[in-house]
Amino acid sequence: ETGVTQTPRHLVMGMTNKKSLKCEQHLGHNAMYWYKQSAKKPLELMFVYNFKEQTENNSVPSRFSPECPNSSHLFLHLHTLQPEDSALYLCASSQLTGAPNYGYTFGSGTRLTVV
Amino acid sequence: GQNIDQPTEMTATEGAIVQINCTYQTSGFNGLFWYQQHAGEAPTFLSYNVLDGLEEKGRFSSFLSRSKGYSYLLLKELQMKDSASYLCAVRSYVDSNYQLIWGAGTKLIIKP
């Protein structure tokens, strides 16, 4: 399998649930990103990992917890979410951080609904 | 502050030409990207401009004017499959770090 794969594609969870989103890339990239995409709003960068180390955390609430066990896998652990957290969560990767000229490779996202 | 503006929605006819504009106010400008995103799918990279002028790639072209803080994506010979959202993003180099600032996207609807 090639590219960036995200699972699950859709997730409905209650505000007291704990769930995890998974991202996997088979491109040999060293940087991975979590983005939040809400309707009619710009993409919001949440976390950046470079060679498994977190290099950026854009003031994301602690109810979102990232994990990067290796350069190919990225998780986003979710707990006690709020309805306003409902959005499309996109994972992306690139060979290097810093928005390289050839762009990012994105996954198809997880559509999250918090009820 | 850093800001990117693009129209929320546009409609065009199959076979025609459409131009999607993007204006930006950013510090440390270091390149501009266009991405295409079909509904429910991943954004895919279309183009990158860092110097003024027009870059052509088949039916798609992207233009940049750094002095005006302005870019456009030109789509020719429109096909139904071009119905998608088009995202403009500016790379900014500030405090020794690159960051991407995204526009909210333009939803393009193609009619037969």
Side-chain angles (χ1 to χ4, degrees), chain A residues 81-98:
Chain A
L81 293 191
Q82 304 298 311
E84 60 264 29
D85 296 322
S86 298
L88 182 68
Y89 288 84
L90 290 165
C91 174
S93 71
S94 62
Q95 181 58 40
L96 301 170
T97 56

Side-chain angles (χ1 to χ4, degrees), chain A residues 9 35 37 40-43 56 88 90 97-108, chain B residues 8 30 33 35 37 40-45 47-48 87 91 98-100 102-105:
Chain A
R9 288 297 305 272
Y35 275 95
Q37 187 175 35
K40 298 185 180 179
K41 289 186 178 180
L43 287 175
E56 199 162 338
L88 182 68
L90 290 165
T97 56
N101 300 358
Y102 50 84
Y104 296 156
T105 303
F106 282 89
S108 297
Chain B
T8 303
N30 198 261
F33 298 83
Y35 282 79
Q37 184 179 23
E41 297 184 16
T44 55
F45 170 79
S47 67
Y48 168 75
L87 311 179
R91 184 171 67 184
Y98 288 104
Q99 58 178 301
L100 266 186
W102 293 84

Side-chain angles (χ1 to χ4, degrees), chain B residues 14 27 35 42 54 56-57 61-62 87 99 102 109 111:
Chain B
E14 190 177 14
S27 53
Y35 282 79
L54 188 68
E56 297 187 67
K57 273 189 189 179
S61 302
S62 56
L87 311 179
Q99 58 178 301
W102 293 84
I109 299 168
K111 295 186 174 179

Side-chain angles (χ1 to χ4, degrees), chain B residues 5-112:
Chain B
D5 289 308
Q6 48 181 137
T8 303
E9 188 173 300
M10 298 180 70
T11 302
T13 304
E14 190 177 14
I17 299 173
V18 71
Q19 177 175 310
I20 302 174
N21 295 326
C22 171
T23 57
Y24 60 89
Q25 299 89 39
T26 61
S27 53
F29 176 85
N30 198 261
L32 186 142
F33 298 83
W34 284 97
Y35 282 79
Q36 179 190 61
Q37 184 179 23
H38 287 99
E41 297 184 16
T44 55
F45 170 79
L46 285 178
S47 67
Y48 168 75
N49 294 66
V50 68
L51 299 176
D52 292 348
L54 188 68
E55 297 273 348
E56 297 187 67
K57 273 189 189 179
R59 295 189 299 114
F60 291 11
S61 302
S62 56
F63 172 84
L64 176 67
S65 169
R66 289 170 296 171
S67 62
K68 295 182 179 178
Y70 168 68
S71 173
Y72 66 73
L73 182 68
L74 190 72
L75 290 73
K76 301 177 184 176
E77 301 168 19
L78 286 170
Q79 302 175 10
M80 298 303 292
K81 67 178 182 179
D82 297 328
S83 291
S85 287
Y86 292 85
L87 311 179
C88 173
V90 169
R91 184 171 67 184
S92 176
Y93 188 67
V94 176
D95 296 331
S96 303
N97 279 310
Y98 288 104
Q99 58 178 301
L100 266 186
I101 302 133
W102 293 84
T106 299
K107 183 178 180 180
L108 177 64
I109 299 168
I110 309 297
K111 295 186 174 179

